[in-house]
C-alpha cells in the first residue's frame, strides 16, 4: 500500500516506494584545505568570462559599473538526494549579506545542463560549462544589511530542468549560476556581495572574527519525492520531540558535540526563533507562537538537520 509521509528532510532519508512532501536543505561543503584552513571549490565567482577566485570570504553577483565587470556566482551542491523526474514545488537559495548595499542588482539564475556537475578549477571560463535553458530573473531592489539573511526568487523551474534529465541520478551534484547583467557605466554598486563557505566576520567591520557555518549558501527545495532510498553515512542524528507539541515546548537531542545553531521559521520563511546551545540535549520554548506548522533547523559541524514541527496548543 502506498503511504504518504510529511517530512522535513536535511540530506536524505532511507525510504523506498514512498511519496514524500518535503523540504530538502543542502549547503556548500568542504572540498579541501589551504594553509590549514578548510576551503571549498564549490562556490566562487566569474569576472566576466573567467574565474576570478574560487575561495574567499565573500561572493559577488551583479554588475560593477566602474570596472565594467559582469560578476557571476557559482554554487555547486553535492549529494542532491532527489530522484530523477521528481516534482519540485518550489526552491530558493538562502544567503547572508556580506556588506550593506542598496543599489539595484539584476541577476539571471541558471543551472548547469549536466547530469552530474563536476568540480570547478581556477582556470575555468564560462564557456567550459553548458548552461541550462530554464532561467529565472532576480531583480534585487531591497536594501541589504551586512550579515543578515536573504532569499532568492523561486528557482524551481531551473532545478526541475536538471532532475528531469534522463541521466540525472539521485545523489549527483548540480551547479547554480547567478549571473549579473550589464547595466552600463556607472559609479553605482549594482553587485550584491554575500557570505561564502569560508566566511569570517571581519573585526574591522565590528565582527567577531569567527567563521559562521550557518551563513554558508543554502539551497532549499520543496517537493514530492518518490522512491528516495539513499542516506549519507555521516548524517547527523537529531531528534526533536514531542511533535506535535501541545504547549510549544520542544526537546532537541543531538548526537554531535560542540556548538549548535538552532533556528525556527514559519511557512513564509520568516525567522521566528534563533539560539545556540553547546548541550547535546536541550529544550526550546516556542509557546509564544501561534498554532501551526513551522520548520526547525539545527546546524552543527557544518551539517544541517531540518524538520517540520507542529504547535497544537
Amino acid at each position: 500500500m502506498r503511504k504518504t509521509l510529511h517530512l522535513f528532510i536535511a540530506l536524505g532519508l532511507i525510504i523506498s516506494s514512498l511519496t514524500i512532501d518535503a523540504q530538502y536543505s543542502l549547503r556548500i561543503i568542504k572540498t579541501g584545505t589551504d594553509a590549514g584552513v578548510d576551503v571549498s571549490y564549490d562556490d566562487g565567482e566569474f569576472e566576466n568570462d573567467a574565474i576570478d577566485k574560487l575561495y574567499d570570504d565573500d561572493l559577488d553577483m551583479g554588475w560593477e559599473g566602474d570596472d565594467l565587470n559582469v560578476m557571476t556566482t557559482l554554487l555547486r551542491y553535492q549529494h542532491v538526494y532527489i530522484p530523477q523526474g521528481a516534482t519540485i514545488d518550489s526552491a530558493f537559495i538562502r544567503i547572508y549579506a556580506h556588506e550593506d548595499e542598496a543599489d539595484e542588482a539584476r541577476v539571471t539564475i541558471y543551472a548547469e545542463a549536466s547530469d552530474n556537475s563536476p568540480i570547478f578549477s581556477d582556470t575555468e571560463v564560462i564557456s567550459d560549462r553548458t548552461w541550462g535553458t530554464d532561467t529565472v530573473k532576480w531583480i534585487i531592489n531591497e536594501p541589504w544589511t551586512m550579515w543578515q539573511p536573504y532569499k532568492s526568487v523561486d528557482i524551481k523551474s531551473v532545478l526541475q530542468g536538471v532532475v528531469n534529465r534522463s541521466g540525472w541520478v539521485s545523489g549527483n551534484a548540480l551547479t547554480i549560476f547567478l549571473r549579473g547583467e550589464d547595466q552600463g557605466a556607472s559609479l553605482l554598486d549594482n553587485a550584491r556581495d554575500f557570505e561564502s563557505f569560508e566566511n569570517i566576520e571581519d573585526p574591522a567591520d565590528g565582527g567577531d572574527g569567527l567563521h559562521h557555518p550557518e551563513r554558508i549558501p543554502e539551497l532549499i527545495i520543496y517537493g514530492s519525492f518518490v522512491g528516495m532510498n539513499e542516506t549519507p553515512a555521516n548524517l547527523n542524528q537529531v531528534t526533536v520531540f514531542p511533535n506535535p507539541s501541545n504547549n510549544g515546548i520542544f526537546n532537541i537531542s543531538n548526537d554531535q558535540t560542540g556548538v549548535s545553531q538552532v533556528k525556527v521559521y514559519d511557512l513564509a520563511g520568516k525567522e521566528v526563533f534563533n539560539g545556540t546551545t553547546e548541550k547535546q540535549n536541550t529544550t526550546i520554548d516556542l509557546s509564544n507562537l501561534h498554532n501551526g506548522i513551522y520548520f526547525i533547523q539545527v546546524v552543527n559541524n557544518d551539517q544541517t538537520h531540518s524538520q517540520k514541527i507542529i504547535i497544537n496548543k
Side-chain angles (χ1 to χ4, degrees):
M1 180 177 67
R2 176 170 160 169
K3 299 179 180 179
T4 301
L5 300 182
H6 298 283
L7 298 173
F8 185 113
I9 299 176
L11 288 175
L13 297 174
I14 300 178
I15 299 172
S16 61
S17 302
L18 300 176
T19 297
I20 307 167
D21 297 331
Q23 177 178 309
Y24 185 62
S25 173
L26 303 102
R27 291 182 186 271
I28 302 297
I29 64 174
K30 170 184 171 182
T31 61
T33 59
D34 188 316
V37 177
D38 291 347
V39 299
S40 180
Y41 271 29
D42 281 349
D43 62 359
E45 62 194 36
F46 290 90
E47 184 178 275
N48 298 314
D49 294 331
I51 284 286
D52 180 36
K53 50 196 171 188
L54 274 176
Y55 60 88
D56 195 3
D57 64 349
D58 74 303
L59 300 163
D60 300 347
M61 63 177 177
W63 169 248
E64 295 180 339
D66 52 347
D67 295 322
L68 305 181
N69 290 327
V70 171
M71 304 302 297
T72 303
T73 302
L74 66 95
L75 299 172
R76 177 175 178 263
Y77 291 93
Q78 300 187 47
H79 313 305
V80 183
Y81 287 92
I82 294 180
Q84 192 276 334
T87 300
I88 296 174
D89 295 330
S90 64
F92 64 90
I93 301 165
R94 179 182 287 126
I95 54 181
Y96 284 74
H98 185 75
E99 294 182 7
D100 295 338
E101 293 174 301
D103 296 328
E104 180 184 84
R106 301 176 188 173
V107 175
T108 303
I109 304 177
Y110 302 76
E112 183 181 7
S114 171
D115 298 333
N116 188 17
S117 179
I119 196 167
F120 285 76
S121 73
D122 56 12
T123 59
E124 295 255 6
V125 294
I126 281 179
S127 58
D128 287 343
R129 302 287 171 136
T130 302
W131 295 47
T133 56
D134 299 291
T135 66
V136 176
K137 290 283 189 181
W138 184 16
I139 309 301
I140 309 171
N141 289 307
E142 66 174 319
W144 279 16
T145 301
M146 184 165 54
W147 304 327
Q148 293 303 304
Y150 298 92
K151 70 176 184 179
S152 72
V153 293
D154 191 344
I155 60 170
K156 67 177 180 181
S157 61
V158 172
L159 300 185
Q160 194 71 65
V162 177
V163 301
N164 282 353
R165 294 176 60 88
S166 60
W168 171 260
V169 175
S170 177
N172 281 1
L174 63 82
T175 293
I176 297 167
F177 297 103
L178 300 101
R179 182 163 177 76
E181 176 182 319
D182 184 340
Q183 294 179 243
S186 170
L187 294 178
L188 296 177
D189 183 7
N190 296 115
R192 295 295 176 101
D193 299 356
F194 60 94
E195 301 282 82
S196 69
F197 174 87
E198 298 86 7
N199 71 81
I200 297 289
E201 268 198 21
D202 190 346
D205 295 324
D208 57 18
L210 301 177
H211 177 254
H212 288 263
E214 75 277 6
R215 297 179 188 170
I216 294 171
E218 181 179 18
L219 174 62
I220 298 176
I221 306 171
Y222 298 85
S224 301
F225 308 139
V226 178
M228 215 168 184
N229 57 10
E230 297 170 82
T231 302
N234 63 347
L235 181 65
N236 283 28
Q237 295 301 312
V238 177
T239 305
V240 182
F241 63 96
N243 191 21
S245 170
N246 60 14
N247 59 7
I249 307 297
F250 292 88
N251 301 307
I252 303 173
S253 176
N254 187 355
D255 70 349
Q256 299 291 307
T257 59
V259 176
S260 294
Q261 178 91 26
V262 181
K263 294 185 178 183
V264 178
Y265 300 89
D266 64 18
L267 287 177
K270 179 183 177 182
E271 182 182 293
V272 295
F273 177 88
N274 187 331
T276 59
T277 181
E278 295 187 33
K279 299 178 180 178
Q280 289 183 280
N281 296 286
T282 191
T283 299
I284 60 171
D285 185 349
L286 304 179
S287 58
N288 62 313
L289 300 179
H290 296 298
N291 285 355
I293 297 172
Y294 298 85
F295 297 106
I296 187 169
Q297 181 184 81
V298 182
V299 180
N300 179 283
N301 294 330
D302 290 344
Q303 292 190 21
T304 301
H305 171 90
S306 303
Q307 179 180 327
K308 181 170 72 175
I309 57 175
I310 299 172
I311 299 174
N312 187 20
K313 294 181 286 188

